[in-house]
Amino acid sequence: MAMTAKVKDELSRLPVTKPCCRKAEVAATLRFAGGLHIISGRIVIEAELDTASAARRLRTALLDMYGTPSELVVVSAGGLRRSSRYVVRVEEGGEALARQTGLIDLRGRPVRGLPPRVVNGATCDAEAAWRGAFLAHGSLTEPGRSSSLEITCPGPEAALAMVGAARRMDLTAKAREVRGVDRVVLRDGDAIGAMLTRLGAHDAVLAWEERRVRREVRATANRLANFDDANLRRSARAAVAAGARVERALEILGDDIPDHLREAGTLRLEHKQASLEELGGLAQPPMTKDAVAGRIRRLLAMADKRAAEQGIPGTEAVLTEEMLEA
């Protein structure tokens, strides 16, 4: 997941000055990476992130925007965890912060989607929400046939809110459930590039587009090489088949063959894998490939007619199954 790490590293260092955008990003980060816990009758907020820089960014925003201090707990890698995780925990003032960030409503009930002020906010709030969600639970695969920008959501309501936020940016994202987990996915290469630009990951966009172009060029080259190779094999099989039919035609007709048709047939036998154009260049005097093809065609027709009159197998009787594939 090298691209994911690159995007998250750049987003975690992106300066954002507008208060509404910082609040939308915090709300999305807490919603997608966090959870509410009741400990001794108090609400405690925890947000688990996979990079230290994202955790520092969240702690700084909580202190700057809400005056709420937090503690950082590092969960070391081990067992099913391939890398360390960073948990930002707010114990003192957890309930007030939950209300301010929209994790709970005025009646103290958990909000399943995103806060109304983020859902109904400006386009910059939608961008900030996607940025916070990606820092929390986003991933970007390498460019290719199955490339995607994906965010794992805490529930279907949050997924639909992200789809709506993308729509406000004129981008189409799809919500789907995979093995009981809700996700929001962008698969179109142009849409992924546009989304990364919207989020502020400009360096990552350049790297992703470069890899995308390189992969497309390589795939095109491979397709062309395979196409040319198949054409060469097909032409070679056709030439061998034509040579076998010409040899049979000469046997059927014997000495009763016009000189110009015999010359064309002899060239075909002596150069069984050569193209018609190459045979024309070898003729004396040189001929066009259409002239060579016409003479060989008349030679075969004459032999097939003689074979039908005599009741013997014609020129096509010598063709094998492999030759017929041409």
Side-chain angles (χ1 to χ4, degrees), residues 268-284:
R268 178 78 282 175
L269 287 180
E270 292 176 350
H271 308 280
K272 289 189 175 181
Q273 294 191 0
S275 66
L276 292 173
E277 188 173 359
E278 290 169 340
L279 291 180
L282 295 171
Q284 294 297 331

Side-chain angles (χ1 to χ4, degrees), residues 41-148:
R42 296 186 306 170
I43 292 180
V44 175
I45 299 176
E46 289 186 347
E48 184 176 316
L49 302 163
D50 54 5
T51 64
S53 55
R56 287 194 297 269
R57 181 182 181 88
L58 177 59
R59 295 188 69 199
T60 300
L62 289 176
L63 193 60
D64 291 347
M65 304 308 299
Y66 302 102
T68 303
S70 59
E71 60 176 318
L72 178 64
V73 179
V74 180
V75 181
S76 301
L80 297 177
R81 298 179 184 273
R82 297 183 179 180
S83 59
S84 298
R85 307 289 290 181
Y86 304 86
V87 180
V88 177
R89 179 180 295 152
V90 176
E91 295 187 2
E92 296 295 331
E95 182 174 352
L97 179 63
R99 293 183 187 277
Q100 290 174 310
T101 56
L103 293 180
I104 60 176
D105 59 19
L106 296 177
R107 299 183 180 181
R109 297 173 301 186
V111 175
R112 296 186 177 276
L114 290 176
R117 63 174 176 272
V118 175
V119 173
N120 301 322
T123 304
C124 63
D125 294 329
E127 296 171 353
W130 265 85
R131 184 165 53 247
F134 190 90
L135 285 170
H137 259 266
S139 64
L140 176 64
T141 59
E142 294 286 337
R145 186 174 301 176
S146 59
S147 60
S148 66

